[in-house]
Amino acid sequence: AQTVCSGAALNLSVVVSGTVSSYQWRRGTTNVGTSSPTFSVASASAADAGSYTVIITSSCGQITSSAVNV
């Protein structure tokens, strides 16, 4: 879990070995991020609270990260 105060920056990242085609960040079941190994919100609010995962796609298939609760 990660605690972020309202108005503070929220920064999440994932480290992957190998060649990655895309990243898809999700809060719950909602897509929230673009194809980047990092996800950031400059000024977090209560609306940003939730369970975040990232779906990582490569030529070998897809894997979903463990969730982090914010």
Side-chain angles (χ1 to χ4, degrees):
Q2 182 176 352
T3 301
V4 178
C5 295
S6 280
L10 165 62
N11 296 299
L12 302 173
S13 64
V14 64
V15 176
V16 180
S17 296
T19 303
V20 174
S21 304
S22 69
Y23 300 87
Q24 180 59 63
W25 288 91
R26 297 172 65 96
R27 183 179 63 244
T29 59
T30 303
N31 292 339
V32 294
T34 59
S35 190
S36 172
T38 61
F39 173 75
S40 298
V41 175
S43 180
S45 69
D48 297 307
S51 178
Y52 287 80
T53 57
V54 60
I55 300 169
I56 302 152
T57 304
S58 73
S59 61
C60 295
Q62 288 186 335
I63 189 167
T64 302
S65 71
S66 298
V68 62
N69 292 313
V70 175

